[in-house]
Amino acid sequence: MAIVVQKYGGSSVADADMIRNVARRISESFNKGNKVVAVVSAMGDTTDDLIELAGRITPNPEPREMDLLLSTGEIVSSTLLAMALHAMGYKAVALSGPQAGISTDSSFSRARITGIEPRRIIKELDKGNIVIVAGFQGLTVDNDIATLGRGGSDTTAVALAASLKASICEIYTDVEGVYTADPRIEPEAVKLDEIGYEEMLEMATSGARVLHHRSVELGQVYNMPILVASSMVKQRGTVIRGGKNMEARNKVRGIAHDMDVAKITVTNVPDRPGIAAAIFLPLAKAGISVDTIVQNASANNITDLTFTVTRNDLVKAMDIIAPVAKEIGARECLSDSKLGKVSIIGTGMQNTPGYAAKMFQTLFEHSINIQLITTSEIRITCIIAEDKVKDAVRALHKAFELNKG
Ligand code: ADP
Ligand code: ASP
Ligand code: MG
């Protein structure tokens, strides 16, 4: 009997009827003779609501308690889903992340899975149970519950699929697959039948939240194909897997965007060895991840250093950087939290000139000012004003003819 791992996101289990719909979908796979493990996210906006609730108690909740609090969202949805299956006459057990044997490191709110001991899951499957696992959580060596970061249930699902040696990991969500751009912003976006890990990873890390970026990373490491499809309609979705897509040569495959960008500029920084380390080490120690970094060419041994963080981290980052800037003799620390980024992605861009120029020209034609630019081999990203991001996505989608499939 094949083991099938499915994951249902928050918007697919937002209320009782939707939970019953998911239970029906799971039972269909079970009735085909599969052993089914289903990972669920918290219902609807539960995680946001819990974060807001904690914020009403204190502006600085302890990370340990915060993770324990957030993990309850997935406990609620997983238990209700098991109950829905019971009500339909199926045998099912709900397991929390720790009960499912998922271990993580101790980085609360962004923990990484360090290992999975799937004995309990296998025992339950062998007893004929459908196993429902609470996503986005695991147990640290100190027996604390840690969460994997926003969107992390995808990563739970792919990690379980790899550890249970499933043939594919099925991610069911509120769109019909991975599109050439977020279909909620670009109505002309086209669903992709397939996309490689490399391109999907760039899409996900550039803001396409349809998959948690670490789930794609794990998929690539374990060569686990991932299907993204709708939890509501039966439509062929998108498969993410390895291998080269010959058709996609010389093409931009997708546009990704992210509205959650804040910028910090440290001005008049003395240009001498050790300065970058002095600035970025304390940020790393505080667990703040820095995205784009740009250092101006230095004139008179004085330079400006600009970098981006998520909006959530901005205040903390400024608190850390302001004293460091003073210490190293920089002039001031400036910040801007109303930024976003737009990226064009495609392995077809490798070693082919012209893509960057076309991207910049398109943004210029739409009067969109580029503040920072970063690139990888298969991605070009421009940091722009947040209120221009939607226009930029649509303009680039058209310019690179992605609506033509
Ligand atoms: P879930 O609750 O199922 O985890 P998410 O909200 O995390 O769902 O992810 C699905 C959303 O991802 C879609 O509703 C869509 O707005 C967004 N999205 C962003 N980029 C893309 C893309 N390229 N293709 C499909 N969906 C995308
Ligand atoms: N419930 C968590 C979140 O909202 C995890 C997830 O949905 O994957 O981020
Ligand atoms: Mg998600």
Side-chain angles (χ1 to χ4, degrees):
M1 259 204 260
I3 295 182
V4 169
V5 176
Q6 303 186 333
K7 179 256 170 178
Y8 293 90
S11 44
S12 305
V13 290
D15 60 30
D17 281 340
M18 295 182 92
I19 289 177
R20 274 190 283 269
N21 168 59
V22 166
R24 259 191 309 274
R25 308 256 320 204
I26 292 172
S27 69
E28 283 167 19
S29 185
F30 181 81
N31 290 341
K32 283 186 196 149
N34 295 311
K35 292 184 171 183
V36 186
V37 177
V39 175
V40 267
S41 295
M43 294 169 70
D45 296 329
T46 303
T47 309
D48 290 325
D49 296 344
L50 291 171
I51 292 171
E52 204 223 286
L53 189 58
R56 275 193 255 151
I57 302 286
T58 165
N60 292 312
E62 280 298 320
R64 180 188 175 280
E65 275 61 37
M66 194 66 190
D67 270 20
L68 189 52
L69 174 69
L70 295 190
S71 71
T72 63
E74 270 70 9
I75 305 276
V76 170
S77 53
S78 57
T79 47
L80 293 176
L81 183 53
M83 290 176 198
L85 283 159
H86 298 158
M88 288 164 53
Y90 290 89
K91 283 175 69 183
V93 282
L95 299 177
S96 67
Q99 287 175 317
I102 300 172
S103 303
T104 68
D105 64 21
S106 301
S107 309
F108 293 115
S109 84
R110 55 195 158 85
R112 287 188 165 258
I113 295 177
T114 49
I116 296 185
E117 172 42 80
R119 231 174 320 180
R120 174 77 188 270
I121 297 181
I122 291 168
K123 197 170 97 189
E124 298 296 347
L125 290 173
D126 288 345
K127 283 198 274 183
N129 277 309
I130 293 169
V131 178
I132 312 296
V133 179
F136 158 76
Q137 54 188 268
L139 197 68
T140 72
V141 281
D142 300 318
N143 272 348
D144 285 323
I145 291 190
T147 65
L148 308 183
R150 299 306 304 269
S153 299
D154 299 332
T155 298
T156 303
V158 177
L160 280 174
S163 116
L164 293 165
K165 303 199 168 39
S167 54
I168 190 165
C169 181
E170 303 171 0
I171 306 270
Y172 293 105
T173 181
D174 60 357
V175 282
E176 288 173 27
V178 178
Y179 285 69
T180 47
D182 186 339
R184 297 193 196 286
I185 288 198
E186 171 51 282
E188 290 193 19
V190 175
K191 188 172 73 188
L192 301 166
D193 288 337
E194 287 203 8
I195 181 168
Y197 293 118
E198 221 184 335
E199 287 175 328
M200 190 62 231
L201 189 55
E202 290 281 9
M203 293 275 286
T205 44
S206 306
R209 69 166 195 281
V210 63
L211 278 181
H212 192 227
H213 63 98
R214 274 164 38 213
S215 71
V216 186
E217 232 167 58
L218 276 182
Q220 187 167 28
V221 169
Y222 290 95
N223 204 16
M224 171 61 60
I226 302 170
L227 167 76
V228 178
S230 165
S231 62
M232 300 304 286
V233 294
K234 297 231 161 97
Q235 279 282 345
R236 180 174 154 181
T238 303
V239 177
I240 296 113
R241 65 166 116 236
K244 292 265 175 281
N245 186 339
M246 305 296 286
E247 296 296 323
R249 300 307 300 165
N250 282 329
K251 264 201 179 163
V252 170
R253 287 279 274 165
I255 313 283
H257 74 278
D258 188 350
M259 303 281 199
D260 183 13
V261 180
K263 176 179 87 168
I264 297 179
T265 303
V266 190
T267 64
N268 279 34
V269 178
D271 191 8
R272 57 169 194 264
I275 290 291
I279 290 178
F280 293 113
L281 268 179
L283 290 174
K285 271 194 193 141
I288 294 174
S289 81
V290 172
D291 189 18
T292 305
I293 303 175
V294 177
Q295 183 180 328
N296 292 349
S298 139
N300 308 323
N301 291 332
I302 297 284
T303 182
D304 290 343
L305 197 66
T306 300
F307 58 92
T308 61
V309 294
T310 62
R311 249 171 242 167
N312 245 346
D313 281 340
L314 180 62
V315 172
K316 200 166 152 196
M318 282 296 275
D319 287 349
I320 292 171
I321 290 305
V324 176
K326 211 172 197 174
E327 210 173 290
I328 59 179
R331 185 190 295 156
E332 59 184 342
C333 264
L334 306 169
S335 72
D336 182 350
S337 64
K338 295 214 162 40
L339 297 176
K341 62 183 178 184
V342 62
S343 307
I344 60 171
I345 289 137
T347 45
M349 300 195 300
Q350 272 175 105
N351 309 321
T352 314
Y355 287 96
K358 186 165 174 176
M359 181 178 193
F360 304 153
Q361 178 69 19
T362 304
L363 295 177
F364 163 66
E365 280 163 9
H366 288 78
S367 310
I368 297 171
N369 185 40
I370 302 169
Q371 301 208 16
L372 298 170
I373 300 162
T374 62
T375 62
S376 79
E377 279 198 351
I378 64 163
R379 171 185 53 80
I380 304 168
T381 300
C382 293
I383 312 269
I384 59 179
E386 182 197 7
D387 60 2
K388 297 284 186 187
V389 169
K390 287 185 182 173
D391 289 348
V393 170
R394 292 182 195 127
L396 292 167
H397 198 267
K398 192 161 187 195
F400 288 100
E401 301 184 338
L402 289 172
N403 51 336
K404 297 189 178 154

